[in-house]
Amino acid sequence: MVRPFVKMHGCGNDYIYFDCLREPLPNPEALSVRLSERHFGIGGDGIVLICPSHTADARMRMFNLDGSEGKMCGNAIRCVGKYLYESGAVPREEMSIETLSGIRRLHLATAGGEVSSVRVDMGRAELAAAHIPVDAAGFGVEPCEPVIGRPLQVGGREFAVTCVSMGNPHCVVFLEEDVDALDLARLGPLFEFHPLFPDRINTEFCNPLPGGEFKMRVWERGSGETLACGTGACASAVAACLTGRAEWGHDIKIRLRGGELTIHCTDEAVYMTGGATTVFKGEVEL
Ligand SMILES: N[C@H](CCC[C@H](N)C(=O)O)C(=O)O
């Protein structure tokens, strides 16, 4: 069976998108592993299925490159909005997308029938505890207190971590040393598979920059280092506010390897604004 796809990225976080509005896609877990392979497949950080929804304009399902399903994906949801608008499936600049973490609302900035950027209401950030199961090893017992700037031993070194859920789990680490100098290939998996996080974790390593901006690298659960993580940028901005490194109610610029995102955190919701790019379209034998 030959199936059309669209390759898109948000800040370099690239996925292979399948329009499943009229036809489901079988076995997406295995497909994500096969097609994400950058030499023997199409290449990407995973795949995204754009599906029908009874509660929103469409439903987004995303799979990391290891086949695990993510509960929310910030960079992908902007690309889903772009696809739906430009394909005519949802010819409106305001739309809603159903995800495993609830419905997210999008506002698209368009010109000449094309989407240039998308603002997403990412919902409320939840403080660690309720959404990131922590074991009872003294790191926070049920009901867990929030994990804000707590010491955590990882790979023989102590880090101060802040855990935030954006519908998916994040562990944010602020460092003075340049995050570009970190050996993420060694450090990333030590966080991802740390016993404290039985569901695994996405980990963001951030440098505060002059002007209230932040430089961020990310090791994603299920995909390894990616050039950007939308939910991770949101989690980092929230963690910055929680630890006094940024102010609630102000735009926070997050500089990622693949681009930049603007995050605006309030008590009620976190807003993320950024681009979405179509790279190429193709067909693949499934
Ligand atoms: N790896 C994440 C899903 C993708 C999130 C990221 N690519 C984003 O843009 O938010 C997880 O398993 O929770």
Side-chain angles (χ1 to χ4, degrees), residues 128-136 140 142 144 169 194-201:
H131 294 269
I132 299 179
V134 292
D135 65 23
E142 292 295 345
C144 313
H194 193 286
L196 187 71
F197 307 118
D199 293 337
R200 295 192 287 166
I201 195 98

Side-chain angles (χ1 to χ4, degrees), residues 13 15 62 64 70 72-75 168-169 202 220-221 229-231:
N13 185 202
Y15 294 99
M62 74 74 55
N64 296 301
M72 178 47 198
C73 184
N75 286 318
N168 59 353
N202 301 288
E220 282 200 31
R221 170 178 70 170
C229 178
T231 50

